[in-house]
Amino acid sequence: MEISPHVPAPEVPPRLAPWADSLELAVVYELETLRLVEVNRAFARKFGQPGPAWRGQSMQALLHPEDTADWQGYAGRVARPPFHIAREHRWQTAQGWRWIAWEETALREADGRVLEVRAVGRDVTKHRLAEEHFRKLAQAVEQAPVSIVITTPGGTPQYVNSRYTEVTGYTLEEIFEQQIPLLREGHASDAAYRHFCALVASGHKWSGELRSGRKDGSEAWEFVQVSPIRNHLDEVTYLLCLREDISERKALEEQLRQAQKMESLGTLAGGIAHDFNNIIAIIRGFTELSVALPAGDPRLGRYLATVHDAAIRAASLVGQILAFSRKTEVTYRPVRINQVVDELVGLLAETFPRDIELVRDLDESIEAFAADPNQVRQILMNLCVNARDAMTGGGVLTLATRRVAGGSLGNLKADPTQDYAHIRVADTGAGMTPEIRARIFEPFFTTKQESGGTGLGLAVVYGIVASHQGLIDLTSEPGRGTVFHVYLPLKTRGDEAPAAGAAATPGNIPRGTERLLLVEDEVAIQEMLATVLRQVGYHVSTANDGAVAIETIMTRGDKLDAVVLDLNMPRLGGVEVLKVLRQRWPNLPVLIMSGHLTESVLTELRQLGQSHEHIIEKPFDFLTFGRALRRVIETRKKA
Ligand code: ADP
Ligand code: MG
């Protein structure tokens, strides 16, 4: 380094005079040695030493080591036309490494040789970093595992990332040339989409789960979030839409639901087994006791009544399970609600503890309305059983009916053009806390684990009320009792008079003298029915299965007045028997009995000309059975 101590350098050398007070950095360096000759004040400040101190120092020593090779690559280029270059590198300044953009001009001698170069530079670090930041951001967006879409507020696509094209199968050309309304995808209806548009256009964020179609026709669940992008005037200029594929999570959720259902079914099966075992124990015990009684013992009647009650409980349990799994066929008939209540109160008076007082408060002006009588009975039964459970120390159970106009049921979402039968079931029992109240309609929710509650009662009630387009409501307070309100629409659809439900003894079963063939494989039931029928005057022959039945019918059909036919039998089922019978004796009256009627069986029976009224569901009481049989026989006589 050669610095002459005798000639002090002027503070601003003449060749840099225009940059004397400039904020731009300015230097002159020797082309061959790359040593500094002159620097301006801005450079001296930036690099931390007074101007003169820089004379003879190497430029290259100030460069970032990684940039040296690149910087040297330019060397000499400035000496050729157009004698001007621009380059950006990192330099070691007093503030640390900074990006500096230099514009360099060759200073040509009179003979054209280039010995020195003037460089004028600016600190572009901020700009550089912003650019880099932006580049990273762009890469992140481009590679993000979520689909990212930017559109105008009107939904015209402006940008989609590669994930989006990957997932949807659309190409960029398709998206931008055909202007596919990308944000419409997944909204269930035009109305839903319009609502969404209005919301985001007014500057709100929107998010939700949508089921979106792909180009190839497949579908996926997506979590979609749309937020407005605003300009400096706070106007919504673009919409940013993020879509995340959540199909997998949805599938897992579904699996979990299934697993929970299975678990619930396990609990349910346990509960049912428990209940049934109790019932069977009662039936077995009391039948054994009955068998052991000496002839004429007065206790026999009481024992058998207990067995009878147990059987009713078993039937109601099966009814509940079937209602819950929705396997029973719903049949609408005119239902007289007051009569149902009367019957039920009669039954409850027999079976509920004596310290529960039963009160009826019936509105006689309610006419018959269309409903499934069994299911309506089920609603009342379940509510009453719960009321009983809540009144362990006794109390009052009130069953009330009223006719109300839908319009007066304010917040219940009733049909205002419709009148309803309002059934109120009120108890003075334990009541419920708000926490319990909130969950009572959940299937399997019970607070009676100890006593074998299934948690199905109210779930069934809810299901039945809903299927009747009815409404349910309640008020309850701990210690102050509970009131359930059920509203059933007073519709008049229905086709058959309701069955009266007086208790049946063989004495009041309608009598007959006709010759019957009773086809039933279950020996006990066969014997039971044959006994009852003979007691009231019928001539009964029996068959244990379908094959025997057909034989009898083929040979002795003309000597029969009616056939009572069970459907579910081994070897040859009732439907097969009916087919043969219809060919040979098309006019022979047939009463079908079955414990499990499915829609398909009903259809088949209908096709064979078997009227709905001539089918009776097991279990039935003798009176219902006897009446159904009379109906079948009378129809024939009229015809
Ligand atoms: P379960 O009776 O088998 O428990 P339910 O579905 O019939 O199932 O009832 C669910 C729960 O609702 C009951 O366990 C009980 O906690 C509560 N509950 C229902 N009815 C009443 C009532 N009348 N009084 C107090 N609690 C009731
Ligand atoms: Mg219950």
Side-chain angles (χ1 to χ4, degrees):
M1 196 177 311
E2 233 170 274
I3 303 168
S4 162
H6 312 294
V7 191
E11 233 214 300
V12 177
R15 280 180 298 186
L16 292 181
W19 290 275
D21 298 313
S22 167
L23 290 174
E24 284 179 312
L25 314 171
V27 300
V28 173
Y29 66 90
E30 260 180 17
L31 183 59
E32 203 178 317
T33 62
L34 303 178
R35 285 179 192 282
L36 288 164
V37 182
E38 294 161 3
V39 305
N40 72 346
R41 274 198 287 268
F43 182 94
R45 259 198 316 274
K46 187 108 190 151
F47 284 83
Q49 282 188 71
W54 287 107
R55 176 181 284 270
Q57 288 206 39
S58 159
M59 283 274 278
Q60 206 172 316
L62 296 172
L63 252 180
H64 194 288
E66 281 172 20
D67 289 352
T68 314
D70 188 59
W71 191 75
Q72 281 174 339
Y74 280 89
R77 209 180 290 174
V78 70
R80 295 192 297 271
F83 305 105
H84 191 82
I85 59 169
R87 45 181 168 170
E88 261 177 55
H89 292 101
R90 281 164 293 178
W91 297 83
Q92 176 71 55
T93 71
Q95 312 148 285
W97 298 111
R98 307 292 291 179
W99 281 95
I100 295 178
W102 293 103
E103 287 190 19
E104 301 177 35
T105 311
L107 300 175
R108 279 182 289 172
E109 302 293 309
D111 58 6
R113 283 181 308 147
V114 176
L115 298 177
E116 290 175 327
V117 178
R118 185 184 61 226
V120 176
R122 276 174 305 121
D123 186 332
V124 294
T125 311
K126 234 188 235 162
H127 186 74
R128 261 321 264 239
L129 290 183
E131 216 169 65
E132 229 155 75
H133 182 68
F134 185 73
R135 213 184 355 258
K136 276 188 216 142
L137 213 63
Q139 260 176 30
V141 167
E142 199 47 36
Q143 292 170 13
V146 288
S147 300
I148 299 175
V149 176
I150 296 175
T151 71
T152 63
T156 310
Q158 298 287 302
Y159 169 84
V160 301
N161 70 347
S162 38
R163 174 72 184 170
Y164 183 84
T165 50
E166 216 173 273
V167 165
T168 59
Y170 289 115
T171 64
L172 290 178
E173 289 71 38
E174 284 171 322
I175 292 168
F176 292 109
E177 276 163 26
Q178 298 169 21
Q179 305 240 317
I180 302 170
L182 302 184
L183 301 186
R184 170 71 179 80
E185 190 56 58
H187 292 280
S189 62
D190 284 334
Y193 178 57
R194 274 198 302 277
H195 179 253
F196 156 85
C197 289
L199 193 77
V200 291
S202 65
H204 288 90
K205 229 181 184 176
W206 183 94
S207 64
E209 290 180 359
L210 296 177
R211 197 161 174 73
S212 311
R214 306 275 163 86
K215 195 186 168 195
D216 66 3
S218 66
E219 285 196 323
W221 273 107
E222 290 182 316
F223 175 75
V224 180
Q225 184 178 320
V226 178
S227 38
I229 300 177
R230 295 160 187 280
N231 66 7
H232 62 286
L233 294 174
D234 212 30
E235 299 159 338
V236 176
T237 45
Y238 296 104
L239 298 178
L240 169 67
C241 170
L242 307 179
R243 310 181 80 107
E244 186 186 358
D245 189 330
I246 53 166
S247 305
E248 216 165 288
R249 197 191 84 203
K250 282 275 180 191
L252 281 174
E253 276 175 11
E254 180 54 31
Q255 272 178 23
L256 186 67
R257 252 199 302 280
Q258 283 297 335
Q260 276 169 348
K261 205 157 122 191
M262 296 311 288
E263 199 183 300
S264 305
L265 280 176
T267 321
L268 172 64
I272 294 166
H274 175 85
D275 282 7
F276 264 113
N277 277 334
N278 281 344
I279 293 168
I280 291 167
I282 293 170
I283 294 177
R284 277 181 76 163
F286 280 94
T287 43
E288 276 169 33
L289 285 174
S290 306
V291 169
L293 283 178
D297 190 301
R299 278 173 293 178
L300 182 62
R302 203 153 35 84
Y303 289 176
L304 291 182
T306 314
V307 170
H308 182 244
D309 285 349
I312 288 179
R313 253 177 75 197
S316 119
L317 193 60
V318 170
Q320 298 218 23
I321 297 162
L322 289 180
F324 182 70
S325 58
R326 292 180 209 287
K327 287 227 174 72
T328 43
E329 317 298 334
V330 178
T331 48
Y332 282 82
R333 289 183 213 152
V335 169
R336 296 189 181 281
I337 189 66
N338 292 340
Q339 194 180 330
V340 174
V341 171
D342 278 335
E343 281 168 29
L344 183 71
V345 169
L347 179 69
L348 300 185
E350 294 293 319
T351 53
F352 273 20
R354 297 277 168 255
D355 57 4
I356 293 180
E357 186 192 338
L358 296 167
V359 176
R360 261 172 298 185
D361 174 8
L362 307 179
D363 177 351
E364 296 302 337
S365 75
I366 305 178
E367 70 270 32
F369 58 92
D372 183 304
N374 288 323
Q375 295 201 334
V376 172
R377 230 169 272 142
Q378 188 84 65
I379 294 177
L380 296 180
M381 185 65 150
N382 291 7
L383 293 179
C384 289
V385 167
N386 281 345
R388 177 200 62 193
D389 295 346
M391 295 191 285
T392 43
V396 184
L397 169 57
T398 309
L399 284 154
T401 59
R402 289 286 181 274
R403 185 197 178 101
V404 296
S408 69
L409 296 179
N411 47 9
L412 273 178
K413 296 210 176 73
D415 177 354
T417 65
Q418 176 82 59
D419 276 1
Y420 289 80
H422 173 193
I423 307 151
R424 190 161 58 90
V425 180
D427 68 59
T428 56
M432 290 173 249
T433 61
E435 293 74 35
I436 290 179
R437 223 201 94 147
R439 299 193 56 197
I440 54 172
F441 294 111
E442 280 176 28
F444 309 116
F445 173 79
T446 179
T447 55
K448 305 173 196 163
Q449 290 89 351
E450 307 287 293
S451 49
T454 56
L456 284 178
L458 290 179
V460 167
V461 168
Y462 190 88
I464 296 175
V465 171
S467 74
H468 281 75
Q469 279 118 45
L471 308 156
I472 187 162
D473 193 16
L474 70 143
T475 55
S476 183
E477 225 181 290
R480 313 200 57 172
T482 302
V483 186
F484 277 92
H485 304 269
V486 172
Y487 303 89
L488 297 176
L490 287 173
K491 289 184 184 156
T492 47
R493 185 164 42 116
D495 42 40
E496 199 179 306
T505 63
N508 57 22
I509 294 172
R511 306 183 64 83
T513 52
E514 287 81 0
R515 295 157 300 174
L516 308 177
L517 173 63
L518 173 62
V519 189
E520 166 66 66
D521 62 312
E522 193 75 51
V523 180
I525 296 180
Q526 191 200 85
E527 194 186 324
M528 174 182 87
L529 293 178
T531 308
V532 170
L533 290 171
R534 285 183 186 124
Q535 273 180 21
V536 294
Y538 290 100
H539 298 274
V540 184
S541 51
T542 57
N544 282 336
D545 65 40
V548 176
I550 287 178
E551 219 180 283
T552 315
I553 290 162
M554 295 305 272
T555 53
R556 299 188 33 237
D558 57 337
K559 296 198 176 62
L560 292 174
D561 296 309
V563 176
V564 178
L565 182 59
D566 182 35
L567 277 192
N568 306 318
M569 293 183 294
R571 296 210 289 156
L572 208 58
V575 174
E576 302 309 312
V577 175
L578 186 64
K579 275 183 194 158
V580 174
L581 202 153
R582 282 287 165 245
Q583 280 167 11
R584 185 85 170 81
W585 307 104
N587 294 321
L588 189 58
V590 177
L591 175 64
I592 299 275
M593 346 176 251
S594 173
H596 188 53
L597 284 167
T598 61
E599 197 49 54
S600 66
V601 169
L602 283 172
T603 310
E604 204 170 356
L605 290 176
R606 225 179 352 256
Q607 282 162 359
L608 287 167
Q610 185 72 20
S611 142
H612 189 78
E613 292 157 46
H614 300 169
I615 300 172
I616 178 167
E617 262 189 270
K618 287 179 184 171
F620 44 71
D621 54 53
F622 292 140
L623 184 61
T624 312
F625 174 67
R627 285 184 173 167
L629 181 58
R630 272 329 302 163
R631 241 189 345 252
V632 171
I633 296 171
E634 300 302 332
T635 319
R636 160 71 188 281
K637 284 193 177 151
K638 269 183 246 155

